[in-house]
Amino acid sequence: MSISQDLFNTARELIPGGVNSPVRAGSVGMHPLFIARAQGAYMYSQEGDPYIDYVMSWGPMILGHNHPRVRKALEDALQNGTSFGAPCKPEIDLAQEIIDALPGVEMVRMVNSGTEATMSALRLARGYTGRSRVIKFTGCFHGHVDAFLASAGSGAVSIPGTPGVPDEVVAQTLLADYNNLEQVQELFTRYGSDIAAIFVEPAAGNMGLVPPQPGFLEGLRRLADEYGALLVFDEVITGFRLSYSGAQGYYNVTPDLTCLGKIIGGGLPVGAYGGKREIMNKIAPAGEVYQAGTLAGNPLAMTAGLTTLQALKEHDYNYLEEKTSELAQKLKEVLAEKGLPVQLNLLGSLFTLFFTPDPVTDLTSAKKSDQELFRKFYTGMREQGIYLAPLNYECAFNSFAHGPKEWEKTLESAKNLKF
């Protein structure tokens, strides 16, 4: 028995399902790897085996694991303490960096996770508009907030319904298919005077990667304006990964509110939400919409995030996008040559391979992907030292730490697969 298997067996006695986030358990029939350390493009299991990592802590390690500049900044910050529960300068510096980068953000409030960010943005949208309903898209995941666990993506795809969430809570959540403007129009026609906001991943990353079709985001902006609702971009995945100005800069569509996480913590737990000054000033203590976080603005998380963003300004996103496209296209070709039905969804430094002959544009088409083929793909790649998300409803993440050696090894591993 491997060390990871033994640890997983122990964990299942102590932690529900043996993991602290369901997606880590996956759906591939293999125990999760327990990781001892990570460096650059690699993670190392408790057994000491190296893995080329395409999960990258689910996105934030765009500079690579244990980046020396971020590590040095954290070492320096540690000399001053680990937590204050009081204002600190790094939170101001990080706020300014975010505001300067994202077109839709004039003020920002730090929180501790993406879930806190979306939960708070929802309360703010309702408080600002005086309305109660919210539109979300099937397959989009906005954290484990009760109101958003209606037809959610990521690990929630495999859980029927939303046990523990009262029907009356999700009754205020209106559902539409991603990339379907007609359905959104129908919801506004029926409920327009009571819709507070549209929440959307501007590029969906929790049913696998599903980019927006041309005109979709622009159409959401138009409908929100027409009916007096707020447009909220959940950029927990896309923020500072798709481009330095996020999906909103990449697509030139400006939301009213933006939710952030992952990269703005440089690998440490963090979240944030921001938007127009008029809206954000409704948050306590400036306004009456209450939201609080005892440890929000943690000096270590702020330092790691600020250092990461400053370093990213010196990196070429176009280069990473080009190399990701080369890798993903070649992977698709390798699998197609084996006679497999395969679709590639690709955007920036993110991609997902779906084992289906049909294009994937929403949750319904994503769920047509052959999960048995994905299981064989995942297990075969992991056995050769390639670390992928153990669920087909997630993205693969490239990074600036990956290079020709890692990409060639990845392609060779795919060529060796037997189906």
Side-chain angles (χ1 to χ4, degrees), residues 53-213:
D53 185 14
Y54 289 102
V55 179
M56 302 309 287
S57 195
W58 306 94
M61 312 313 294
I62 188 171
L63 293 173
H65 290 288
N66 201 19
H67 189 274
R69 187 164 161 183
V70 177
R71 185 176 66 246
K72 176 62 166 59
L74 281 171
E75 289 170 351
D76 291 345
L78 272 170
Q79 306 307 310
N80 300 320
T82 60
S83 179
F84 306 145
C88 61
K89 185 176 182 296
E91 65 186 359
I92 297 175
D93 296 336
L94 180 56
Q96 187 66 65
E97 199 71 39
I98 292 169
I99 290 166
D100 289 346
L102 302 183
V105 178
E106 297 174 352
M107 299 186 81
V108 63
R109 168 65 65 87
M110 303 299 176
V111 292
N112 293 299
S113 69
T115 290
E116 284 188 42
T118 57
M119 174 184 69
S120 304
L122 174 59
R123 182 179 301 160
L124 175 56
R126 286 171 165 165
Y128 178 77
T129 63
R131 302 173 178 183
S132 59
R133 297 185 187 272
V134 59
I135 294 174
K136 78 169 289 284
F137 296 91
T138 57
C140 283
F141 184 71
H142 304 296
H144 59 273
V145 183
D146 283 4
F148 291 137
L149 281 180
S151 192
S154 188
V157 169
S158 60
I159 300 176
T162 53
V165 178
D167 291 342
E168 55 268 27
V169 174
V170 292
Q172 302 299 316
T173 304
L174 307 173
L175 297 173
D177 292 331
Y178 192 76
N179 277 321
N180 194 322
L181 273 178
E182 183 178 340
Q183 290 183 4
V184 179
Q185 176 66 75
E186 291 172 355
L187 291 173
F188 272 112
T189 299
R190 184 173 180 183
Y191 301 106
S193 62
D194 195 34
I195 295 175
I198 306 169
F199 271 74
V200 65
E201 292 179 83
N206 288 285
M207 48 183 133
L209 175 66
V210 179
Q213 293 185 338

